[in-house]
Amino acid sequence: EITIAQDGNATIKITAKDETAIQYMEYYWEGEEPIRIEATTSEQTMIEERIEVREGQNQLYIIAEDTNHNIGQTEKTIVGATKPKIVLNREGDTIIITATDEQGISKVEYTLNEVPYEVEGNGQKQVDVRQDLVEGNNTFIITVTNINTLIAQGKASCEK
């Protein structure tokens, strides 16, 4: 028996079980070389492995063989989410915070010199926030959350 369980947005748990004894499990992403995991004892009935999810849509293949040479195999399409991206640009006395994400932005939170601000993303793939600078040092701490609850953070400082 082969099972594939997504542990969240970043990892997958793959498990090969046999009621008598398992010999090995192999897994691979389409177009890549297989990774083989051998049983550590002759009585082992389960092999479990956690692997990172690839960005975008990918095909995962799993093959397992028991000690009686029975082979099981399965494949599954896995869609991996990505973290948002943050870019800061300056136009004169204004900072533009650009948050982008393939799936959509939930919210952009930032502080300017410890004063908090929040902008809703409403699932948009890009959110631009314009913030006027204050006299002297301006320190930004930015957190962007996408609709899959993945977070990107950044920090920047500039003078006006």
Side-chain angles (χ1 to χ4, degrees):
E1 175 189 5
I2 299 171
T3 58
I4 302 170
Q6 205 147 350
D7 279 353
N9 291 318
T11 60
I12 295 172
K13 181 172 75 171
I14 53 177
T15 308
K17 291 182 189 176
D18 186 77
E19 60 278 348
T20 54
I22 191 123
Q23 188 171 336
Y24 72 87
M25 175 177 71
E26 283 185 348
Y27 68 91
Y28 62 95
W29 296 101
E30 186 170 5
E32 294 186 9
E33 291 296 312
I35 297 171
R36 186 176 178 119
I37 303 165
E38 300 281 346
T40 53
T41 68
S42 60
E43 298 86 34
Q44 187 172 341
T45 59
M46 181 175 76
I47 297 175
E48 189 173 271
E49 183 77 1
R50 279 186 167 70
I51 61 174
E52 281 192 32
V53 174
R54 305 282 169 89
E55 289 183 10
Q57 183 171 311
N58 298 282
Q59 200 69 14
L60 178 64
Y61 300 89
I62 302 161
I63 301 166
E65 184 175 341
D66 68 15
T67 53
N68 294 323
H69 305 293
N70 296 313
I71 295 175
Q73 54 189 24
T74 190
E75 64 182 79
K76 185 172 182 178
T77 301
I78 307 290
V79 179
T82 58
K83 287 185 178 183
K85 292 178 178 46
I86 303 168
V87 176
L88 297 180
N89 288 303
R90 183 171 179 169
E91 287 182 3
D93 290 337
T94 302
I95 288 289
I96 302 162
I97 302 167
T98 301
T100 57
D101 186 80
E102 293 174 7
Q103 306 301 313
I105 301 291
S106 174
K107 64 183 169 182
V108 177
E109 299 170 284
Y110 67 98
T111 61
L112 170 56
N113 297 337
E114 299 182 5
V115 177
Y117 298 88
E118 183 173 322
V119 176
E120 291 299 317
N122 300 317
Q124 296 176 79
K125 294 186 186 298
Q126 179 173 321
V127 175
D128 294 310
V129 179
R130 300 179 71 84
Q131 176 64 55
D132 292 333
L133 298 173
V134 297
E135 282 300 323
N137 188 46
N138 290 263
T139 300
F140 289 87
I141 299 173
I142 305 152
T143 302
V144 177
T145 306
N146 72 8
I147 60 171
N148 297 314
T149 68
L150 294 178
I151 293 173
Q153 295 181 309
K155 184 176 181 178
S157 294
C158 64
E159 293 286 326
K160 174 179 175 187

